[in-house]
Amino acid sequence: MITFITGNKHKVIEAENIFKDYDINLEHIDLGYCEPQGTLEEVAISGAKYASRKLNKPVIVEDVGLFIKALKGFPGTYSSYVQETLGNQGILKLLDGVNDRYAEFRSVIGYCAPNSEPKIFLGKVIGEIAVEEKGDLGFAFDPIFYVPAEGKTFGELTTEEKNQFSHRKNSLEKFIKWYSIQ
Ligand code: ITT
């Protein structure tokens, strides 16, 4: 049994859909942990270590950032705050008239068991910031994250479709591969 520590129910739905193909039981607890300001990796390491000690169970946590090239990687590690303040419309305004719309989602999974040190797994997906919001599936930045190969935003993809190649799929799959041979 692995416990996924998150306050985001959309992450849980996606993770459950990814884990269902494997023989690993996943439970979910919203523990709330203090996130230090730092890289995605630092946040995942400290969160996983804290939660595994606190619950005395093996846990995973996930820290995500949207990195927009034309904004020099912003909002990156500030993604949560920016989603709550500027929102998608604010990001579209910042990119008004900008041609290079390259962006990446990065997901870092931190895993830790009570008596060991944390490990991290990075997954990415590349795409572009759309010129307008599209789709009402997914959550947060999904309606403005356009995937050229699909011709759609994440907001227009079902959970199953997004889970074929998302940042979360890639980080969780790396974790699952490693975990399965422990
Ligand atoms: P935790 O409790 O797991 O920390 P959170 O929602 O605070 O949940 P993050 O800090 O990892 O998650 O995410 C930073 C921001 O990016 C936040 O606003 C998320 O809603 C958003 N986000 C994360 N994954 C996303 C995805 O797959 N699609 C769109 N937005 C996403």
Side-chain angles (χ1 to χ4, degrees), residues 4 6-16 137-140 142 159 162 168:
F4 185 16
T6 177
N8 184 324
K9 64 178 192 299
H10 305 280
K11 287 186 176 183
V12 177
I13 292 168
E14 291 183 17
E16 281 173 346
L137 302 174
F139 63 101
D142 282 344
T159 301
K162 181 179 169 187
R168 180 162 299 108

Side-chain angles (χ1 to χ4, degrees), residues 1 12 17 23-24 27 36 39 51 74-76 85 96 100-101 103 106 119 128-129 131 134 145 155-156 171 180:
M1 166 78 80
V12 177
N17 184 274
D23 201 14
I24 304 170
E27 71 165 7
T39 63
F74 182 83
T85 53
D96 196 19
D100 179 1
R101 306 187 72 92
R106 295 185 201 150
K119 285 197 66 86
E128 293 169 9
I129 301 303
V131 290
K134 269 202 161 164
F145 191 79
E156 297 176 289
S171 59
S180 304

Side-chain angles (χ1 to χ4, degrees), residues 65-98:
L66 176 66
F67 294 77
I68 301 173
K69 189 171 158 205
L71 304 179
K72 302 197 165 30
F74 182 83
T77 56
Y78 302 100
S79 294
S80 255
Y81 181 70
V82 168
Q83 176 59 224
E84 282 163 26
T85 53
L86 297 179
N88 289 343
Q89 287 303 322
I91 290 182
L92 292 178
K93 275 206 195 96
L94 289 177
L95 288 180
D96 196 19
V98 174

Side-chain angles (χ1 to χ4, degrees), residues 13-181:
I13 292 168
E14 291 183 17
E16 281 173 346
N17 184 274
I18 292 166
F19 271 83
K20 76 174 173 3
D21 295 334
Y22 301 90
D23 201 14
I24 304 170
N25 288 326
L26 191 70
E27 71 165 7
H28 160 234
I29 295 182
D30 180 4
L31 185 62
Y33 57 94
C34 161
E35 293 189 4
Q37 191 56 47
T39 63
L40 300 180
E41 288 79 3
E42 285 163 351
V43 172
I45 284 173
S46 76
K49 191 163 180 173
Y50 169 81
S52 66
R53 284 0 179 213
K54 175 122 183 155
L55 296 175
N56 203 27
K57 288 178 180 183
V59 302
I60 53 173
V61 302
E62 185 199 33
D63 202 36
V64 173
L66 176 66
F67 294 77
I68 301 173
K69 189 171 158 205
L71 304 179
K72 302 197 165 30
F74 182 83
T77 56
Y78 302 100
S79 294
S80 255
Y81 181 70
V82 168
Q83 176 59 224
E84 282 163 26
T85 53
L86 297 179
N88 289 343
Q89 287 303 322
I91 290 182
L92 292 178
K93 275 206 195 96
L94 289 177
L95 288 180
D96 196 19
V98 174
N99 284 326
D100 179 1
R101 306 187 72 92
Y102 179 97
E104 329 184 324
F105 262 124
R106 295 185 201 150
S107 155
V108 177
I109 296 292
Y111 167 80
C112 197
N115 295 311
S116 60
E117 288 304 305
K119 285 197 66 86
I120 50 175
F121 304 85
L122 168 69
K124 288 200 242 187
V125 62
I126 64 177
E128 293 169 9
I129 301 303
V131 290
E132 59 182 14
E133 290 190 79
K134 269 202 161 164
D136 50 16
L137 302 174
F139 63 101
F141 300 106
D142 282 344
I144 60 167
F145 191 79
Y146 177 78
V147 185
E150 300 289 310
K152 286 181 178 173
T153 68
F154 268 179
E156 297 176 289
L157 300 180
T158 63
T159 301
E160 285 74 21
E161 290 168 337
K162 181 179 169 187
N163 274 347
Q164 298 295 310
F165 58 91
S166 74
H167 48 310
R168 180 162 299 108
K169 160 74 169 187
N170 293 331
S171 59
L172 282 177
E173 201 160 70
K174 275 192 195 169
F175 163 70
I176 290 167
K177 286 215 167 101
W178 172 82
Y179 184 78
S180 304
I181 56 168

